[in-house]
Amino acid sequence: MRARRSRPLVVVAGLAVAGVIMLAWTQTWFTVHLQAGAAVTNRVAADGAAVVPQYTALAIASLALFLAMTIAGRVVRVVLACVEVLLGLGVVVSGITALADPVAAAKGAVGEVAGVSDLGAVRKVVDTVDVSAWPVVGIAGGVLAVLLGVVVLVVQRSWPGPSRKYGAATAGAAAQARAAALVERDAVVDWDDLSAGVDPTDLAEAGDPASGSGSQSAGTGRIDDRRRSNDGVGTERGAP
């Protein structure tokens, strides 16, 4: 029972983790101090958007993934869980790579101020780099995303699938629509059937059971009309 109730908790946890990753992406990761005279300013703040621009795509993908888990079936949940593990690994690898070489990660932000684009030139103008706690927060969010993906793989078997009632209602509506399409006939179709030697009243009576009474009455009406016509013709022929 607890495993069945775990889906809302897992989904909420996944949304929270995606929010943490997105929050880390918006904060300042590195504060780069430049050498005197290297640029118009001696300090450059490099936020997550400049250091790890892929974080926003990974966080949005994780957010959409957990929302999809609320309506997904068992096979789709397994696929989504595996994708979540890969997304978490992407966050972790990106964060560790940036943390291992802050100068290279902040190259774009420094280059805009110092007027250089080559990594070697950027290293020459950088004096020191202050590292904030947000890289660790982002990496932790990636680790949690990986763990959540593993948790989904383990507990998703006990989660209920999509509503069968809705699927049955949809199938019933489709069957009724097909039956209605078969019952609807017109003079052109009846004439083609007559030309082919087929009695259209028999086709109407062989329709869907749900609409059989209406089709049968329509066929009976046509037969009665034909009988009246034949009787009238016979009367006129027999009249003096």
Side-chain angles (χ1 to χ4, degrees):
M1 182 64 68
R2 292 181 179 180
R4 292 183 178 181
R5 296 179 179 178
S6 63
R7 179 165 65 176
L9 298 177
V10 171
V11 172
V12 172
L15 298 179
V17 169
V20 169
I21 296 173
M22 184 67 71
L23 179 62
W25 176 76
T26 62
Q27 302 301 314
T28 300
W29 281 39
F30 308 125
T31 301
V32 182
H33 299 275
L34 305 179
Q35 296 180 359
V40 295
T41 181
N42 294 331
R43 187 175 62 181
V44 177
D47 58 6
V51 175
V52 281
Q54 62 271 27
Y55 261 32
T56 177
L58 295 174
I60 293 175
S62 180
L63 182 67
L65 185 147
F66 277 101
L67 290 176
M69 282 188 184
T70 59
I71 59 174
R74 177 174 296 181
V75 176
V76 178
R77 288 196 297 260
V78 172
V79 175
L80 293 177
C82 295
V83 173
E84 177 63 17
V85 172
L86 295 178
L87 292 175
L89 290 175
V91 172
V92 172
V93 171
S94 300
I96 292 177
T97 302
L99 194 60
D101 193 352
V103 176
K107 181 184 69 173
V110 175
E112 292 180 358
V113 176
V116 293
S117 59
D118 183 68
L119 180 59
V122 170
R123 293 186 186 278
K124 291 180 180 180
V125 300
V126 172
D127 188 9
T128 59
V129 178
D130 296 333
V131 181
S132 68
W134 289 108
V136 178
V137 173
I139 295 172
V143 173
L144 291 176
V146 173
L147 294 178
L148 281 175
V150 175
V151 169
V152 171
L153 286 174
V154 174
V155 303
Q156 59 85 26
R157 297 180 180 179
S158 61
W159 291 357
S163 176
R164 296 181 179 179
K165 182 178 180 180
Y166 175 78
T170 303
Q176 292 179 1
R178 289 193 298 268
L182 291 174
V183 172
E184 291 178 358
R185 304 179 62 84
D186 54 17
V188 176
V189 176
D190 292 343
W191 181 258
D192 292 338
D193 291 339
L194 288 172
S195 300
V198 179
D199 189 353
T201 59
D202 295 338
L203 295 177
E205 293 176 358
D208 185 73
S211 58
S213 59
S215 301
Q216 186 174 1
S217 61
T220 304
R222 294 179 181 176
I223 295 174
D224 292 340
D225 292 340
R226 293 179 181 178
R227 289 178 179 176
R228 292 174 184 174
S229 300
N230 294 333
D231 293 342
V233 173
T235 302
E236 292 178 357
R237 291 178 180 177

